[in-house]
Amino acid sequence: MLRYRVKLSKDTNGTILVEVPDVPGALTFGEDREEAILRSADAIETVLIGYMADRRDIPMPRAGAKGPFATLPALTEAKLGLYTAMLAAKVGKAALARRLNCHLPQIDRLLDLRHASRLDQLEAAFRALGKQLSVEIREAA
């Protein structure tokens, strides 16, 4: 589970400003604390989409940080894992498409954090990189 610490502060207009120290540029706001935290995951994803477009490493949350936290969806975490595995293996999108015997737009969708990809497709992509996708179920915090 990717949980990024968020820093909340009151803005001059009465809203709650959100910064994500581990993801520079991830900024948002909310009318109250709850809305601000909910919106922070979207802000993080938006910045990470830019990181991926620029072929930059994904910043990981610092261990031991104290909350509040923004938790990214499991599907987003899986897609970021695929992107990271591709970078580590020096496998581009076209090469992965050849390994999976599919078209490049399908790989684009697998890496698109806004697209609702199927887990079986992500599993196949990980297998093509010599990796295995695993799902873990835990008690809610």
Side-chain angles (χ1 to χ4, degrees):
M1 172 180 341
L2 283 179
R3 293 175 10 131
Y4 288 90
R5 184 178 73 82
V6 296
K7 180 181 167 190
L8 305 174
S9 58
K10 286 206 182 250
D11 204 351
T12 56
N13 62 0
T15 60
I16 305 295
L17 182 64
V18 181
E19 296 176 72
V20 185
D22 292 335
V23 185
L27 303 167
T28 192
F29 71 96
E31 294 299 321
D32 56 31
R33 177 185 167 91
E34 183 179 315
E35 181 185 11
I37 291 172
L38 281 173
R39 293 176 66 151
S40 61
D42 184 60
I44 294 167
E45 284 183 341
T46 300
V47 171
L48 294 182
I49 288 168
Y51 275 60
M52 293 168 73
D54 294 342
R55 295 195 173 112
R56 295 173 54 192
D57 290 335
I58 300 299
M60 291 287 120
R62 279 182 250 162
K66 298 197 190 273
F69 295 98
T71 303
L72 298 185
L75 185 59
T76 296
E77 184 175 356
K79 288 174 177 252
L80 293 172
L82 176 61
Y83 168 78
T84 301
M86 289 172 66
L87 280 182
K90 295 183 174 33
V91 173
K93 293 189 291 186
L96 184 59
R98 283 190 297 277
R99 289 180 186 191
L100 292 172
N101 194 29
C102 68
H103 296 97
L104 191 57
Q106 291 172 278
I107 303 304
D108 287 333
R109 286 189 293 273
L110 279 181
L111 295 170
D112 182 351
L113 300 184
R114 305 283 191 223
H115 185 268
S117 299
R118 293 181 3 212
L119 280 179
D120 63 322
Q121 294 169 332
L122 284 162
E123 286 179 300
F126 277 110
R127 273 194 307 275
L129 295 170
K131 303 285 183 189
Q132 181 179 353
L133 177 64
S134 174
V135 176
E136 178 182 355
I137 309 300
R138 296 187 210 168
E139 291 296 323

